[in-house]
Amino acid sequence: MTATEPVTDWTTDYDIFDAGYVVHPYEIWDDLRQRCPIAHSDRWGSSWMPTRYEDIREIAADVETFSSTEILVVPPPATQPEDGIAAPPITSDPPEHHWSRRLILPAFAPKKVQANHEPFTRALCRRLLDGFEGRDRVDAAGEYAQQIPPAVIAHLVGIPEEMSDEFVEWVRGVLELGLTDDELRMKYRAKILDYFWRCVEDRKENPRDDLVTELLNAEVDGEPVPDTHIIGTLNLLLVAGIDTTWSSIGSALWHLASNPADRRRLVAEPDLIPTAVEEFLRAYAPVTMARKVMHDVEVGGCPMKQGDKVLMSFPAANRDPEAFDRADEVIIDRAENRHIAFGVGIHRCAGSNLARMEMNVAVEEWLARYPEFSLVDPDAVTWAGGQVRGPRELLVDLG
């Protein structure tokens, strides 16, 4: 089955790039849980997609069988150079994973996020909202949600905020548009790595109070961290820290524009916003992450072979009725919410504190400024999908 042919049976030939799946995957997951909880496909190579919460948790825990060295469902381009640059720690297995994760955790500590990045994010959101004055309609995805994470990541890393527009282009080129286009993916991968090589060389000559300099000053077992590892980590922060978070912010705004009762409640009870954000993360989790099968193994009766991929569909797990009461409903005051939007196990997202802060601030500031917004045309909303799902065009009336 080629990648472009339509799906006829989702149990044996799923396609996460299918246009219908991108827009509305929920019924597909529900059907698979009933008929075939771990589906299989030969598109982009042999892969498996579990849809149950517990299966995904168990697979994530077995890091010896299911490696994180290849996190994309599509194979690497044949032209990709052997440059030793990945995206640690998300692409690292133990023992490298342990020390590579420890390198970046201090940058995402809750107090540091609150002190160093929340004021910047709030000012940024207000500036973006100021720019909508006098307008009746805006694209809440392109003009707001997608503008926030690139600027925050630039602020975190210590590079000019003016790079934000280029970051957006690069990230879409690698993770969205380029995921099924090898030439495009390699083009933008080269742009990202070249930029960060230049940043590293600059900080060696001109140290600053920023993350790049911190990583250059770090040691592992008494030795400096290799430059290739630092470049890979910066690559991860850019790609994973931007597309995922703008997708989550956009999904939250899409929900509130589509559900006036929830919107009005949050306007009346702004203290409920953090709880609602957790529910938006559960219901609209953006990320599906791949694992590589390291040896033949059977999971849930499915004979997985060495070299197969397993798609960790965190969004599907978060909709599992065995794990969540009224799983297909968005309950903005859900009291118990053990969602795994940020992953689960040792690879749980190290930047979750930053992402949560960005979502909370973005929603708070938007609702404070435009409490009566609504969708212009629900059918005109466009979505990006594949391994990161979220709205890309979201035209709203500001009310």
Side-chain angles (χ1 to χ4, degrees):
M1 181 63 65
T2 66
T4 57
E5 293 182 62
V7 175
T8 56
D9 185 349
W10 283 88
T11 68
T12 60
D13 178 40
Y14 64 80
D15 180 11
I16 64 171
F17 301 104
D18 175 84
Y21 178 87
V22 168
V23 174
H24 204 77
Y26 313 114
E27 286 87 353
I28 294 171
W29 296 333
D30 290 342
D31 179 59
L32 288 176
R33 284 193 212 94
Q34 296 297 317
R35 295 196 298 130
C36 181
I38 304 178
H40 181 264
S41 179
D42 282 320
R43 296 174 189 253
W44 311 105
S46 178
S47 68
W48 303 83
M49 184 171 69
T51 54
R52 294 186 300 204
Y53 184 89
E54 286 304 325
D55 286 340
I56 290 175
R57 289 185 64 95
E58 289 177 14
I59 291 168
D62 187 355
V63 296
E64 294 184 359
T65 302
F66 302 100
S67 170
S68 293
T69 53
E70 294 184 19
I71 59 173
L72 301 179
V73 62
V74 299
T79 56
Q80 182 165 318
E82 293 290 337
D83 53 20
I85 299 176
I90 203 171
T91 55
S92 305
D93 289 332
E96 181 193 32
H97 172 268
H98 303 318
W99 63 260
S100 62
R101 184 179 174 88
R102 284 198 302 269
L103 284 178
I104 62 173
L105 280 179
F108 297 105
K111 289 183 178 179
K112 196 161 189 177
V113 166
Q114 183 177 12
N116 291 6
H117 307 301
E118 182 174 338
F120 172 86
T121 305
R122 199 169 296 279
L124 168 66
C125 290
R126 290 175 178 175
R127 188 166 71 247
L128 292 169
L129 294 166
D130 287 344
F132 303 154
E133 290 293 332
R135 295 175 57 183
D136 296 324
R137 296 177 174 180
V138 299
D139 178 358
E143 296 181 86
Y144 187 69
Q146 293 172 30
Q147 302 302 312
I148 298 167
V152 173
I153 290 297
H155 184 255
L156 168 75
V157 174
I159 53 186
E161 187 183 336
E162 293 73 32
M163 292 294 299
S164 294
D165 287 344
E166 288 186 78
F167 285 171
V168 170
E169 179 185 350
W170 297 350
V171 170
R172 295 192 71 192
V174 168
L175 195 57
E176 183 183 329
L177 305 175
L179 204 57
T180 55
D181 183 329
D182 285 355
E183 184 178 350
L184 199 63
R185 188 168 16 144
M186 290 305 300
K187 171 185 173 181
Y188 284 104
R189 180 181 187 270
K191 286 179 177 289
I192 292 171
L193 299 188
D194 177 67
Y195 179 77
F196 284 130
W197 272 117
R198 286 185 281 115
C199 282
V200 165
E201 292 303 319
D202 174 72
R203 297 310 189 277
K204 288 180 180 179
E205 297 295 327
N206 307 289
R208 303 180 194 173
D209 182 17
D210 62 17
L211 183 60
V212 179
T213 304
E214 287 180 21
L215 293 173
L216 283 169
N217 290 336
E219 293 185 347
V220 176
D221 296 329
E223 297 293 330
V225 180
D227 287 355
T228 52
H229 188 98
I230 294 174
I231 300 298
T233 298
L234 296 171
N235 174 43
L236 168 67
L237 295 179
L238 180 69
V239 176
I242 288 179
D243 199 8
T244 56
T245 308
W246 85 37
S247 296
S248 294
I249 295 170
S251 293
L253 294 176
W254 171 82
H255 177 90
L256 293 172
S258 308
N259 295 271
D262 286 347
R263 172 175 51 77
R264 290 173 186 139
R265 185 173 179 192
L266 292 187
V267 170
E269 303 176 51
D271 289 346
L272 186 60
I273 289 175
T275 302
V277 161
E278 294 304 313
E279 180 67 345
F280 297 147
L281 284 166
R282 182 196 70 83
Y284 307 115
V287 178
T288 296
M289 196 69 69
R291 298 285 187 267
K292 183 178 180 179
V293 180
M294 300 305 290
H295 58 79
D296 291 0
V297 65
E298 185 172 299
V299 179
C302 298
M304 301 179 182
K305 302 299 183 183
Q306 181 178 0
D308 284 358
K309 296 285 184 69
V310 179
L311 295 193
M312 307 291 280
S313 181
F314 303 127
N318 283 341
R319 293 274 185 151
D320 185 351
E322 293 296 318
F324 298 94
D325 182 46
R326 298 157 62 191
D328 280 333
E329 297 181 38
V330 179
I331 303 170
I332 61 172
D333 60 356
R334 188 181 291 271
E336 183 177 349
N337 198 341
R338 299 182 302 116
H339 71 74
I340 54 174
F342 292 113
V344 63
I346 66 170
H347 287 285
R348 187 181 179 281
C349 176
S352 60
N353 292 321
L354 185 69
R356 278 192 170 99
M357 180 277 293
E358 291 178 71
M359 283 191 70
N360 276 288
V361 170
V363 172
E364 287 171 9
E365 294 298 331
W366 180 284
L367 289 178
R369 189 73 63 91
Y370 297 111
E372 297 294 330
F373 74 105
S374 59
L375 290 179
V376 171
D377 178 3
D379 294 331
V381 177
T382 64
W383 297 78
Q387 290 191 233
V388 181
R389 178 179 181 271
R392 288 299 174 266
E393 293 181 49
L394 182 61
L395 193 62
V396 299
D397 281 319
L398 294 176

